[in-house]
Amino acid sequence: MKTTTGSFEKTPGWLDWFDGPAKPRFALPAGAVDAHCHVFGPGAEFPYAPERKYTPCDASKAQLFALRDHLGFDRNVIVQATCHGADNSAMVDALRHSQGKARGVATVKRDVTDQALQEMHEAGVRGVRFNFVKRLVDFTPKDELMEIAHRIKAWGWHVVIYFEAVDLPELWDFFTALPTTVVVDHMGRPNVQHPVDGPEFSLFMKFMHQHENVWSKVSCPERLSVKGPKALNGEQQAYQDVVPFARSVVETFPDRVLWGTDWPHPNLKDHMPDDGLLVDFIPHIAVTPELQRKLLVDNPMRLYWPEE
Ligand code: 0GY
């Protein structure tokens, strides 16, 4: 039996802990891509990895596709999350059921076969993700990652990197030696209590300035914000402390930015973000229709659907 929250149709089990995302007030441009989201399980069908550092809520492909339609997106890029390790079956299954409206980013190990890469490519995988966030993963030797990067380059794939700002200096040489397009998750997780023109974020901007193969997702204000969804002074501008960071990346590198919801928001314990509100954040960081079209349509299409 289906229940309805506002205009949003809920199936049983649909985010039981959250009363449904709002309908965004910001109308997404036609063909918009949610370029960072996940599917989790369902665990009974696609078990979580034994080595995982957290167990998420189940978040199925059907729920993701319903959210896509509810928010007004046209397509998804589904990113393999650490709780599924290097078993990409749930993500690949979602791609295969998306009717061409989803592409994927996988996690692979050195022993991945060429046949497995080919099957993933045919399903719609276009990148691999290297995760350096210590609370999420154990260390993988850099020579193994570099070997993977060179193999996937042959498929025209790119590398997505997830790290925290304090670790950029140590990871710099590795990142700048990667042979593919490199997409940074969530602007390299800056500490938004530091100044936007301070040394930490300036190093990130320098990373992008000096390396034209580096792109950034300007996503996850809900992870980066200290102020949260409502500003302390009572204004309704959500996550306003993240705006200067994301806006400067969008305006400086308009052709190398992507945006995603990060649904279903793993590991967020203090508040569960409203995806409708997250969409309403977009015009604060991409303030013109042209920037919005690049961020939401042109750039993700160039990277994930270059044949169209
Ligand atoms: C995100 C962020 C997180 C989790 C993962 O792969 C993951 O498990 O990326 C996080 O906890 O910050 O982008 O989904």
Side-chain angles (χ1 to χ4, degrees):
M1 199 184 86
K2 290 183 172 178
T3 57
T4 302
T5 301
S7 60
F8 190 70
E9 209 173 45
K10 293 170 68 169
T11 49
W14 167 266
L15 305 186
D16 292 331
W17 30 263
F18 182 59
D19 198 24
K23 197 86 181 161
R25 280 173 296 172
F26 172 59
L28 290 161
V33 181
D34 175 353
H36 186 94
C37 51
H38 309 286
V39 287
F40 293 145
E45 195 182 348
F46 300 107
Y48 298 109
E51 73 274 19
R52 69 188 179 279
K53 307 283 188 200
Y54 66 93
T55 302
C57 62
D58 282 342
S60 71
K61 57 183 181 281
Q63 291 171 320
L64 176 64
F65 300 154
L67 180 79
R68 174 198 68 200
D69 295 345
H70 172 74
L71 297 175
F73 284 100
D74 192 47
R75 301 172 196 226
N76 296 111
V77 178
I78 307 176
V79 177
Q80 177 77 355
T82 55
C83 54
H84 275 300
D87 176 355
N88 296 286
S89 347
M91 183 268 292
V92 166
D93 174 70
L95 300 186
R96 289 193 173 125
H97 286 86
S98 72
Q99 298 175 313
K101 285 181 170 284
R103 292 251 146 114
V105 174
T107 296
V108 301
K109 294 194 172 148
R110 173 179 257 157
D111 61 6
V112 67
T113 62
D114 287 340
Q115 160 123 14
L117 290 176
Q118 171 150 2
E119 283 169 13
M120 283 193 274
H121 188 84
E122 282 164 7
V125 172
R126 293 293 181 270
V128 291
R129 191 179 194 209
F130 297 161
N131 199 319
F132 299 90
V133 177
K134 296 179 183 84
R135 73 185 151 79
L136 293 172
V137 281
D138 294 325
F139 176 76
T140 303
K142 294 200 183 92
D143 66 324
E144 173 169 348
L145 297 176
M146 194 57 83
E147 185 181 309
I148 291 167
H150 279 277
R151 274 183 73 197
I152 61 95
K153 179 177 161 50
W155 292 89
W157 294 8
H158 60 271
V159 174
V160 174
I161 51 177
Y162 190 24
F163 61 93
E164 299 191 316
V166 289
D167 296 321
L168 180 55
E170 190 264 318
L171 291 164
W172 181 280
D173 290 346
F174 174 74
F175 290 163
T176 57
L178 286 166
T180 61
T181 294
V182 174
V183 179
V184 178
D185 276 341
H186 322 327
M187 300 182 285
R189 290 200 66 122
N191 180 339
V192 299
Q193 289 182 297
H194 293 172
V196 68
D197 55 357
E200 186 185 85
F201 202 61
S202 296
L203 186 70
F204 178 71
M205 295 296 275
K206 180 175 161 192
F207 179 45
M208 290 198 70
H209 264 299
Q210 288 188 349
H211 303 280
E212 290 192 352
N213 62 325
V214 177
W215 295 38
S216 179
K217 292 179 198 162
V218 288
S219 44
C220 279
E222 74 286 5
R223 285 189 192 282
L224 305 176
S225 179
V226 176
K227 294 194 168 174
K230 290 224 171 100
L232 295 178
N233 63 7
E235 287 173 30
Q236 294 301 301
Q237 167 58 59
Y239 312 118
Q240 68 173 13
D241 45 350
V242 183
V243 170
F245 294 81
R247 192 171 164 178
S248 81
V249 178
V250 169
E251 290 178 358
T252 314
F253 309 104
D255 298 312
R256 293 192 265 146
V257 283
L258 301 169
W259 192 90
T261 56
D262 194 32
W263 184 87
H265 315 288
N267 300 316
L268 274 188
K269 300 193 172 65
D270 50 344
H271 80 283
M272 189 41 64
D274 177 332
D275 296 282
L277 199 61
L278 287 174
V279 170
D280 285 338
F281 182 73
I282 295 171
H284 296 280
I285 62 169
V287 300
T288 66
E290 191 192 354
L291 288 172
Q292 292 159 7
R293 203 197 59 245
K294 285 174 182 253
L295 174 67
L296 296 162
V297 185
D298 298 353
N299 299 344
M301 288 303 290
R302 208 162 74 249
L303 195 57
Y304 289 97
W305 283 270
E307 69 280 10
E308 286 191 23

